Amino acid sequence: MIDRKAEVIAIVGGQWGDEGKGKVVDYVAQNADVVGRGQGGDNAGHTVINEYGKFALHQIPSGIFNPYTVNIIGSGVVLNPKSLLSEMATLSGKGISLDRLVIDYRTHLLFDYHKVLDGYQEDGKGKKCIGTTKKGIGPAYVDKTARVGLRAHLLENPENCLKELKFILEQKRREYRSLSARDEFRLDYYADIIHESSRMLWPHITDTQEIIEEYLNKGSKIVAEGAQGTLLDLDYGTYPYVTSSRTLVGGVLLGLGIPPQYLTRSIGVVKAYQTRVGEGGMPTELKDEQGELIRQKGHEFGTTTGRPRRVGYFDGVAARYSQRTNHFTDIAITRLDILSGVGELKVCSSYLLGNSPCSFPVSEDVLDCCKPFYGETGYGWEEDISSVREFDELPLGARVYAYILNRHFPNARLSFIGVGPSREALIVV
Ligand code: IMP
Ligand code: MG
């Protein structure tokens, strides 16, 4: 019998992604036994800055820098082997060991034909396009749900894997005649990458749910690292302008095979302001000079695509919705330092539809018509706070602002405030 109870911490984005989860995971994972990704793929870009350098992790969990942590790519992820191999090469080039990286047998594989389909479908939607990262995420989840996807266990035998791929490619060529002449729809295009993936990745592929079970029984500390954010969730997000995976706390646990009753803590990561990449409604969007100032100060350009992010005031309605769907126990406010000296800050406390207040709407068309009501205005501070490490040493304006944001997450305590990109630039409240 083990008397120590396992600690399972989910870290999930509370907005539209890019909240700075990588930094919070990097901190919380320092003494974790396991860190895992349970959904999404290389559409994610988790920036981590530590003693080894600056990294944009796309598929490898942020616990990889800790030599004792097991890093899991779980069954819920759609894994691009090509980009994983290049990520692995970058990390090992900087002296980081990949011995403790494991991939679940069940993880679906994403290939270049998925990327072609992603672009093709986006282009076909014209003005109704989603603004995806064009990484093939949606088409890979389609194959998974349609039960024709290839899973990581197939990499044990590259010839078998190619045989399965041949069958899928034939089907895709029939379905997408106009694309059928493209290289990505021919089997020989994949011979090298499948052989290389088999050679390089097979040693990492295993039953990671068994590992989870073992560590839960040992009473270990497990961190479930979310990708994207609550409002991009396939069901609860701003559909159809969402990603194709389940980004809520529940989705991340499921994608790692962690039984939900083991969850002990869930940290919602939110930026001190709002950003969004891609299309869709964003009631607090700032299209003025202040928005541009925040974008430039915060380098708000996508880690994965380089696209400028849309910037706006903190959206309390979206925050309360995020809390409603996740019940975070803690929140981490990131990038508070960016707001020093950017002028008056407002917080959206409700939406107005016509003259009536409304809660976070289900329909994206309605969201597009919602006007923000700024019930909380007049905040701001001038001081540079990037070297502050104690909550009490923040300027009063910044403390009040942080409390106001926290109020939009009922029952969640304010646990972290990010004031800069490095690992140390984190106030533990
Ligand atoms: P997809 O995930 O590439 O299919 O893109 C769908 C939507 O999710 C688009 O609006 C993307 O901009 C957005 N998205 C996907 N991954 C991220 C991310 O890591 N951060 C922010 N937005 C993302
Ligand atoms: Mg990102």
Side-chain angles (χ1 to χ4, degrees), residues 70-83:
V70 176
N71 285 270
I72 298 180
I73 296 179
S75 63
V77 168
V78 285
L79 181 71
N80 179 333
K82 208 195 239 178
S83 82

Side-chain angles (χ1 to χ4, degrees), residues 208-235:
T208 65
Q209 208 282 323
E210 225 165 67
I211 298 177
I212 290 282
E213 174 71 5
E214 177 194 328
Y215 279 85
L216 286 173
N217 287 337
K218 280 202 289 205
S220 305
K221 176 172 173 180
I222 300 176
V223 175
E225 172 178 10
Q228 292 83 42
T230 298
L231 302 176
L232 290 171
D233 182 77
L234 182 59
D235 278 5

Side-chain angles (χ1 to χ4, degrees), residues 353-374:
L353 199 56
N355 288 324
S356 321
C358 73
S359 55
F360 197 79
V362 169
S363 155
E364 179 64 44
D365 293 339
V366 177
L367 183 66
D368 225 14
C369 300
C370 285
K371 297 276 172 272
F373 174 73
Y374 294 107

Side-chain angles (χ1 to χ4, degrees), residues 16-18 43-45 130-134 137 228 232 242-243 277-278 307:
W16 277 295
D18 305 314
N43 52 347
I130 291 161
T132 72
T133 60
K134 299 199 176 168
I137 304 298
Q228 292 83 42
L232 290 171
V242 294
T243 192
V277 252
R307 287 181 288 176

